[in-house]
Amino acid sequence: MSLALSEKAKCVKPSSTLAITAKAKALKAEGKDVVGFGAGEPDFNTPENVCNAAIDAIKSGFTKYTPASGTVELKEAISKKFKDFNGLDYGTDQIVISNGGKHSLTNIFTVLINPGDEVIVPSPFWLSYPEIVKLVGGVPVIVETTAEENFKLSADKLRNAITDKTKAVVINTPNNPTGMIYTEAELRALAEVVVEKDIYVVADEMYENLIYGGEKHVSIASFGKEIYDRTITCSGLSKSYAMTGWRMGYTGSSKEIAKMMGAVQSHQTSNPNSIAQKAALEALTGDQSSVEAMKVEFNRRREYMYERVCKMPYVSCIEPKGAFYVFINVSKVFGKSYKGEEVTDAFKMADILLNEFSTAVVPCADFGFADHIRLSYAISIESIEKGLDRIENFLKGLE
Ligand SMILES: *Cc1c(COP(=O)(O)O)cnc(C)c1O
């Protein structure tokens, strides 16, 4: 007998982005004029047509269990989206709908990983990948990329990281936190290694709709049968449709993997939320004009923010092409002092910005890059302007 708690659960770190957001919210509640660059979600409301579809679902009694891996009508809509937008053929028996993208990723790793299996995670990374991999008994293998590589994993680096324990590599494009997008040529080079070494790709394409300036989203699974068979493509409604709270994620995979994920899910959560499924159906098949309007606004903010950050002392960044983040190198700030207080690292910098300037930024140690911060532009342009003025004042005040 023992009261000891799970070793696996003990290894998991709480999400630091949520912690920063909570602290900023608490200051706001005290009446402080806080600018929160921490947001990991669109600031827009869910489009009205989507909300109305949910209300109709409730009123018409669509409030019971659905099939475990989602309704056929929503799978058909997702299948069509995969075909039209990604150039991918996934039948309805290859699609699993889950309670958010995170849940989809958890299902994927649950089905792929045996104890001790390695998953290659290029760094910088979205902070949940290593934690989810650990939770299902796998070992995250972090492979660092550089600014010269535009923070993208090269085929050579992938090849060198593969061992006989490697089960999968995570490719996240457009990327959180860097805002980078993999080109077709880069993905083809990675796909070649994946096929040669016989591992899986977990393709996290959550931000596939949020791409700016004529860039194009490419799905790695679209390059032919061999890579298609080895890829689980993951996306969702959270970021593209401003639906983070609704919890709608989905995957396209082989039938075998889809069937297993559906079985796992049937015991864990029964099914994705029935009302949210009706809302997702409307989001995918209804009027897309509000999505376009969000994109235009995100792009305006992106351009403004990038231009301003480029002019600031001590910091640098690469122009982001997708998602809604600017990833900023702040290493030259370290060792300087603000009002006699040394800025030792990005946590300290974030602390001073929050306490002295009421401005929340995300230090990126938990994203694998301790000398960077992430600013989200999923806030109003007025707030961005005010927050950037404050960051600039902080930087100019350094000695
Ligand atoms: C937000 C996000 C997800 C998952 O989002 P959900 O809210 O769980 O749908 C997955 N991957 C990345 C990179 C994200 O930023």
Side-chain angles (χ1 to χ4, degrees):
M1 285 335 115
S2 160
L3 297 178
L5 301 177
S6 153
E7 292 302 324
K8 257 195 229 167
K10 276 193 232 163
C11 283
V12 173
K13 284 188 265 184
S15 167
S16 64
T17 43
L18 296 182
I20 301 250
T21 315
K23 197 166 167 190
K25 269 189 187 145
L27 286 174
K28 223 175 236 173
E30 284 171 21
K32 293 245 166 66
D33 178 21
V34 176
V35 174
F37 284 117
E41 61 183 343
D43 52 319
F44 305 106
N45 285 336
T46 303
E48 202 176 338
N49 60 317
V50 175
C51 296
N52 287 337
I55 292 167
D56 289 348
I58 295 171
K59 290 195 169 154
S60 66
F62 196 75
T63 51
K64 307 282 200 289
Y65 290 133
T66 74
S69 58
T71 62
V72 173
E73 60 174 1
L74 181 55
K75 285 184 187 175
E76 278 167 354
I78 291 168
S79 174
K80 184 169 185 320
K81 183 243 110 177
F82 270 134
K83 180 93 195 131
D84 297 347
F85 186 82
N86 309 83
L88 292 171
D89 276 310
Y90 287 120
T92 51
D93 53 356
Q94 294 175 275
I95 291 168
V96 175
I97 303 156
S98 302
N99 296 292
K102 252 179 215 179
H103 185 206
S104 295
L105 288 161
T106 305
N107 283 337
I108 295 170
F109 290 120
T110 301
V111 163
L112 295 186
I113 299 300
N114 285 309
D117 281 353
E118 294 175 355
V119 176
I120 295 172
V121 179
S123 166
F125 49 81
W126 180 53
L127 73 187
S128 290
Y129 301 133
E131 306 308 316
I132 297 173
V133 169
K134 284 190 277 178
L135 258 181
V136 301
V139 180
V141 174
I142 308 300
V143 177
E144 206 166 295
T145 66
T146 64
E148 290 68 41
E149 296 166 319
N150 286 327
F151 302 116
K152 292 187 268 191
L153 181 68
S154 68
D156 277 346
K157 278 196 177 167
L158 171 60
R159 188 187 300 279
N160 290 336
I162 293 173
T163 71
D164 54 6
K165 293 234 174 76
T166 306
K167 182 56 68 72
V169 57
V170 178
I171 302 294
N172 174 214
T173 182
N175 186 276
N176 173 7
T178 67
M180 298 297 131
I181 297 171
Y182 282 76
T183 64
E184 177 169 347
E186 288 161 349
L187 290 173
R188 281 194 186 272
L190 291 170
E192 228 169 81
V193 178
V194 164
V195 170
E196 179 196 321
K197 297 286 186 182
D198 234 349
I199 60 172
Y200 288 102
V201 179
V202 177
D204 181 347
E205 304 183 358
M206 190 56 66
Y207 294 93
E208 62 192 357
N209 274 320
L210 300 176
I211 285 196
Y212 317 102
E215 294 285 327
K216 191 172 127 222
H217 174 71
V218 181
S219 291
I220 192 167
S222 67
F223 301 149
K225 182 167 171 21
E226 289 184 301
I227 186 68
Y228 172 88
D229 286 343
R230 289 167 178 80
T231 303
I232 300 97
T233 307
C234 178
S235 190
L237 286 284
S238 297
K239 310 293 162 62
S240 303
Y241 291 92
M243 289 178 69
T244 42
W246 299 78
R247 313 309 303 133
M248 275 283 109
Y250 56 83
T251 53
S253 67
S254 71
K255 283 181 201 171
E256 186 190 11
I257 289 176
K259 203 169 158 196
M260 285 172 77
M261 290 196 293
V264 167
Q265 180 161 298
S266 75
H267 295 292
Q268 285 182 329
T269 61
S270 287
N271 59 264
N273 179 296
S274 64
I275 299 151
Q277 286 188 76
K278 284 287 188 190
L281 181 68
E282 172 61 24
L284 290 171
T285 59
D287 180 20
Q288 301 294 306
S289 55
S290 39
V291 178
E292 284 311 308
M294 285 189 249
K295 247 173 85 168
V296 168
E297 180 59 21
F298 276 139
N299 188 41
R300 187 164 83 100
R301 299 170 184 176
R302 175 187 74 103
E303 286 174 345
Y304 173 74
M305 202 171 201
Y306 174 63
E307 209 181 295
R308 291 262 333 243
V309 172
C310 284
K311 289 186 194 140
M312 291 183 188
Y314 306 118
V315 299
S316 61
C317 71
I318 302 174
E319 183 185 357
K321 305 285 174 62
F324 38 67
Y325 309 103
V326 181
F327 189 57
I328 302 174
N329 184 330
V330 295
S331 58
K332 294 207 172 90
V333 172
F334 303 163
K336 304 242 170 270
S337 296
Y338 184 80
K339 288 189 183 162
E341 203 176 350
E342 190 183 340
V343 188
T344 45
D345 56 27
F347 284 108
K348 188 76 197 172
M349 177 172 168
D351 226 41
I352 295 173
L353 279 170
L354 194 54
N355 295 331
E356 302 275 331
F357 292 89
S358 297
T359 299
V361 303
V362 176
C364 286
D366 288 350
F367 294 75
F369 265 61
D371 59 0
H372 278 63
I373 61 169
R374 188 190 76 176
L375 302 192
S376 162
Y377 47 88
I379 55 172
S380 73
I381 194 103
E382 293 75 25
S383 296
I384 291 174
E385 194 175 342
K386 194 190 314 180
L388 291 180
D389 287 346
R390 293 174 182 179
I391 293 175
E392 198 164 14
N393 286 337
F394 160 75
L395 293 170
K396 286 184 173 159
L398 290 172
E399 347 176 86

